[in-house]
Structures are given as structure tokens and as C-alpha cells.
């Protein structure tokens, strides 16, 4: 979980991970140069499963993701944002799925869209099968990034590109889908509440960043 000035929702996001029904994990929190109270909130948790990384300055999402990947020691790596909420059975569902399907390397899910106050407004899904996901990637990112769990060796062998400022996930999925044999899947059941609000990252992409994101579609 990378954190950059995320104090408003951070405690709720962290607690949603610590409350998972599947308890055998490490929670790697990467403070990406926050200037608000994020570090104080992180250090207020005493759970021994928390691993704290301080970038010292703002390096960006991709660099923070890569720092977390390098530090990870588990069988699987799960993504999480500092303003979302993982449902209690998320890890249990995704770990069980990957354990049962060794040919699948990356699994995501649908999302429950919530507003700033936590009110649910919609449920969105992504294509389920690898073939559908690969076809969908010709037009947009086929995975909801904060829902993703994948095999650690895949992430350690294929880091996020730090040249992409907002579409590093789409670039990585495209690279894996078209240049490797990694298989993708999405659970039909949502595992995460995805928060949208005026200051959220997805709501503040300027035109230059949207154009950069379109690069992945053109390449695919």
C-alpha cells in the first residue's frame, strides 16, 4: 500500500487489511514523501504484520510499487490503495483461487464504487477469462488495479515501468499479456470498495496524463 498524503482515509484502509479473515500476510506500507499526518497514522498501528518503508521523498506510484515488490517475502502480492476498503474475505478468496488454479498468475475482481462518505453507488465488473481480458486490453486497462493479487515471482521479474506517471498498471498488464505466458483472471465477486471523490487520483488526471495512458492502447 503506497501512501502519499492519505491521512483522511488511511486508517480505514489499513484496518480493512488487518481485519482480513485470512491472517497470514505482511502489510507493506510505503510512505511516499507524505507531508500530512500519514506517518503518524501508520505508526499508530502496533500490528507486527506491518512492514514500514519510508521513501524519504515523493518518488511516485510506480517507484513505490517497486519498493514494495522488492521487500515482499510472501507467495503472493496484493495491491491496495490508501483510500479504498478491502472486504474481509478478499485475501481468502484470492489466495484460494490462486492455490486452486496454478496456471493463473494474476487475479483481480470487480469493485463496489463508494462516495467520499462511504455510501455505495454502483458495482462495476471486469471480464473474467484470460481471452476476454486480453481482448479488453486493446481498449483500456482490463484490471481494477487495487483489486489485483498475483504470484510474487511475476512481479519480481516484471517491475512497474517508472516512466509512466499514471498508467503504470496498464503498461504492466499489457506487457505481461502480449510478451509473456502469464494468465489473467477476474473474480466475478467484488473484493474491494473503491472510493471516488473530487481529489482522488482518477478524478484529477489532466489531458497530458490521459494522452500518455492512451499510449498503451495504441501499442496493444
Amino acid at each position: 500500500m503506497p501512501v502519499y498524503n492519505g491521512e483522511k482515509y488511511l486508517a480505514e484502509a489499513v484496518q480493512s487489511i488487518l481485519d482480513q479473515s485470512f491472517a497470514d500476510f505482511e502489510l507493506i506500507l510505503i510512505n511516499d514523501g507524505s507531508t500530512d499526518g500519514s506517518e503518524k497514522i501508520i505508526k499508530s498501528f502496533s500490528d507486527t504484520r506491518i512492514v514500514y518503508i519510508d521513501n524519504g521523498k515523493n518518488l511516485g506510484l510506480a517507484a513505490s510499487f517497486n519498493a514494495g515488490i522488492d521487500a515482499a517475502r510472501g507467495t503472493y502480492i496484493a495491491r491496495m490503495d490508501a483510500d479504498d476498503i478491502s472486504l474481509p474475505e478478499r485475501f481468502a478468496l484470492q489466495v484460494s483461487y490462486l492455490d486452486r488454479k496454478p496456471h493463473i498468475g494474476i487475479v483481480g475482481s470487480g469493485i463496489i464504487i463508494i462516495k467520499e462518505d462511504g455510501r455505495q453507488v454502483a458495482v462495476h465488473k471486469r471480464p473474467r477469462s484470460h481471452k476476454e481480458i486480453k481482448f479488453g486490453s486493446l481498449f483500456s486497462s482490463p484490471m481494477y488495479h487495487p483489486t489485483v493479487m498475483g504470484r510474487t515471482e511475476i512481479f519480481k521479474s516484471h517491475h512497474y515501468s517508472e516512466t509512466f506517471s499514471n498508467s503504470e498498471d496498464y503498461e504492466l498488464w499489457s506487457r505481461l499479456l502480449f510478451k509473456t505466458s502469464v494468465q489473467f483472471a477476474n473474480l466475478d465477486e467484488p473484493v474491494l470498495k473503491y472510493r471516488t471523490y473530487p481529489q482522488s487520483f482518477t478524478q484529477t488526471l489532466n489531458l497530458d496524463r490521459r494522452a500518455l495512458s492512451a499510449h498503451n492502447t495504441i501499442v496493444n
Side-chain angles (χ1 to χ4, degrees):
M1 182 192 299
V3 181
Y4 176 65
N5 291 344
E7 65 178 0
K8 188 170 185 179
Y9 305 109
L10 178 57
E12 189 175 13
V14 170
Q15 196 63 55
S16 77
I17 299 298
L18 299 180
D19 289 343
Q20 290 292 301
S21 62
F22 180 93
D24 183 15
F25 62 83
E26 58 181 357
L27 171 55
I28 303 173
L29 293 167
I30 305 107
N31 183 5
D32 190 27
S34 296
T35 57
D36 64 356
S38 293
E39 182 175 56
K40 183 178 179 180
I41 293 170
I42 291 170
K43 291 185 175 180
S44 72
F45 289 91
S46 59
D47 198 296
T48 57
R49 295 172 296 180
I50 291 177
V51 177
Y52 180 49
I53 297 175
D54 186 357
N55 285 346
K57 60 181 180 180
N58 183 244
L59 301 179
L61 279 173
S64 296
F65 294 150
N66 290 336
I69 289 167
D70 291 340
R73 299 172 297 164
T75 303
Y76 305 125
I77 291 177
R79 270 282 295 113
M80 180 64 181
D81 283 330
D83 53 2
D84 296 330
I85 301 170
S86 281
L87 299 181
E89 297 299 316
R90 175 191 175 178
F91 286 0
L93 289 169
Q94 292 185 304
V95 168
S96 175
Y97 186 89
L98 290 171
D99 283 349
R100 288 184 287 108
K101 298 182 180 292
H103 64 287
I104 299 295
I106 305 283
V107 62
S109 83
I111 54 175
I112 299 170
I113 303 291
I114 61 174
K115 302 298 283 185
E116 200 167 0
D117 58 3
R119 177 170 45 91
Q120 178 178 332
V121 293
V123 175
H124 291 176
K125 297 183 179 181
R126 279 289 189 254
R128 295 182 63 184
S129 72
H130 177 77
K131 184 180 291 186
E132 292 171 321
I133 289 168
K134 190 170 185 178
F135 178 77
S137 73
L138 298 175
F139 308 100
S140 63
S141 183
M143 312 292 286
Y144 288 123
H145 198 197
T147 72
V148 163
M149 178 183 285
R151 301 184 189 278
T152 296
E153 64 267 20
I154 294 173
F155 286 107
K156 287 188 179 288
S157 299
H158 303 86
H159 277 48
Y160 289 88
S161 171
E162 297 181 16
T163 63
F164 285 80
S165 60
N166 74 287
S167 56
E168 62 286 319
D169 56 325
Y170 187 17
E171 190 278 333
L172 177 57
W173 310 147
S174 300
R175 194 170 1 122
L176 292 173
L177 283 164
F178 291 101
K179 295 184 178 181
T180 76
S181 60
V182 174
Q183 297 282 303
F184 283 67
N186 276 310
L187 302 179
D188 202 39
E189 179 178 351
V191 300
L192 180 127
K193 293 183 178 181
Y194 185 87
R195 197 185 307 268
T196 61
Y197 50 96
Q199 293 78 37
S200 66
F201 183 76
T202 54
Q203 300 300 314
T204 56
L205 295 181
N206 60 36
L207 290 177
D208 289 339
R209 286 183 169 179
R210 291 184 189 276
L212 178 61
S213 181
H215 168 84
N216 294 296
T217 300
I218 295 168
V219 170
N220 288 350

